[in-house]
């Protein structure tokens, strides 16, 4: 499972060689997952609860990307500062072009700027463009989304809180949290950045090659 990272005090990733940065990311991931799991009561839901939870998820306000008449819809709980959410966004781009619709459901827990970056995305006139800006300008060394923060409304803060609670009810203890229905209509849940070889099963689409160098550890 791949939760997000927490910022280290010292040394910072930008001061380290590439190999050391990768090791630090793994250490940060473990620390972040332990910290998040300890504060979130994210128990796996009973199977009979899943249809009701999925119906709630379908009503959640989200950033909609990909096909307008999708072959499959994938929901992703994401934090705007989350490194693994950033990688998941990159990994899913070819599938969006092939018929997948992704609904990105925002939560905010990694940093104070997670809320303000979520605001910049969700309050934008073009949410999909704002999300793309956040991901294409993502700053990996600082674990920061690339969009300039914006002031959240009270309604958005309430929405982020509700999304976090819904994520917990799905048993998702970190981001990204992927939720979808398979070809038999069963609700499926995955926590963390998938391997690229797993994406056809998640998206219901044939494998799409992705040569992005940031994804090489997931091939």
């Amino acid at each position: 499972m791949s939760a997000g990272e927490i910022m280290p005090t010292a040394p910072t990733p930008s001061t380290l060689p590439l190999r050391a940065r990768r090791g630090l990311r793994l250490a940060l991931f473990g620390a972040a997952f332990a910290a998040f799991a300890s504060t979130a009561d994210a128990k796996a839901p009973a199977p009979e609860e899943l249809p009701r939870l999925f119906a709630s998820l379908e009503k959640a306000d989200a950033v909609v990307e990909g096909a307008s008449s999708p072959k499959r819809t994938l929901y992703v709980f994401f934090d705007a500062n989350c490194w693994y959410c950033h990688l998941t966004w990159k990994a899913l781009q070819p599938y969006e072009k092939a018929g997948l619709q992704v609904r990105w459901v925002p939560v905010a827990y990694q940093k104070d700027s997670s809320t303000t970056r979520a605001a910049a995305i969700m309050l934008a006139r073009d949410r999909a463009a704002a999300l793309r800006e956040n991901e294409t300008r993502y700053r990996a060394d600082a674990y920061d989304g690339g969009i300039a923060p914006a002031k959240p409304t009270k309604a958005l803060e309430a929405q982020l809180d509700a999304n976090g609670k819904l994520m917990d009810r799905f048993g998702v203890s970190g981001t990204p949290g992927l939720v979808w229905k398979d070809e038999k209509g069963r609700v499926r849940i995955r926590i963390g950045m998938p391997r690229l070889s797993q994406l056809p099963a998640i998206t219901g689409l044939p494998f799409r090659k992705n040569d992005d160098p940031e994804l090489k550890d997931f091939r």
Side-chain angles (χ1 to χ4, degrees):
M1 295 182 289
S2 300
E5 300 81 12
I6 55 175
M7 289 296 293
T9 52
T12 61
S14 60
T15 65
L16 297 173
L18 180 58
R19 183 175 298 177
R21 288 185 211 173
R22 290 174 181 163
L24 181 56
R25 280 178 185 150
L26 291 174
L28 290 171
F29 154 60
F33 179 80
F36 189 82
S38 67
T39 59
D41 184 19
K43 297 179 181 178
E48 59 270 20
E49 293 182 73
L50 288 174
R52 178 171 51 83
L53 290 175
F54 194 85
S56 296
L57 183 58
E58 289 180 304
K59 297 175 184 176
D61 199 12
V63 181
V64 180
E65 275 195 323
S68 56
S69 298
K71 297 176 182 178
R72 177 170 292 180
T73 301
L74 173 66
Y75 293 83
V76 183
F77 290 103
F78 81 103
D79 185 300
N81 288 319
C82 171
W83 165 250
Y84 291 102
C85 300
H86 166 67
L87 295 181
T88 300
W89 180 85
K90 284 194 162 192
L92 290 174
Q93 293 306 296
Y95 291 89
E96 290 184 6
K97 295 175 182 177
L100 176 70
Q101 184 180 98
V102 184
R103 298 185 183 182
W104 300 88
V105 180
V107 296
Y109 72 93
Q110 288 199 3
K111 303 180 182 182
D112 290 342
S113 63
S114 295
T115 298
T116 53
R117 285 198 170 92
I121 294 169
M122 297 301 291
L123 300 178
R125 180 169 297 179
D126 186 338
R127 290 177 175 178
L131 177 64
R132 179 170 294 275
E133 178 181 351
N134 189 68
E135 303 310 327
T136 56
R137 297 184 179 183
Y138 188 88
R139 293 170 288 176
D141 286 344
Y143 300 97
D144 279 330
I147 198 167
K151 184 177 181 180
T153 62
K154 293 294 184 183
L156 179 62
E157 289 178 339
Q159 176 192 341
L160 294 173
D161 182 63
N163 290 347
K165 291 176 179 176
L166 181 59
M167 186 172 81
D168 288 349
R169 289 166 64 198
F170 270 103
V172 175
S173 52
T175 52
L178 285 65
V179 184
W180 70 98
K181 282 187 175 180
D182 66 16
E183 65 281 357
K184 295 182 179 179
R186 296 171 297 192
V187 177
R188 298 293 192 182
I189 303 167
R190 179 183 173 86
I191 305 172
M193 166 68 189
R195 300 202 69 81
L196 300 189
S197 61
Q198 296 170 322
L199 291 178
I202 292 171
T203 64
L205 295 166
F207 180 80
R208 310 291 291 183
K209 187 177 180 181
N210 193 327
D211 293 325
D212 191 299
E214 282 195 306
L215 300 175
K216 68 183 185 64
D217 290 338
F218 294 91
R219 290 194 177 92

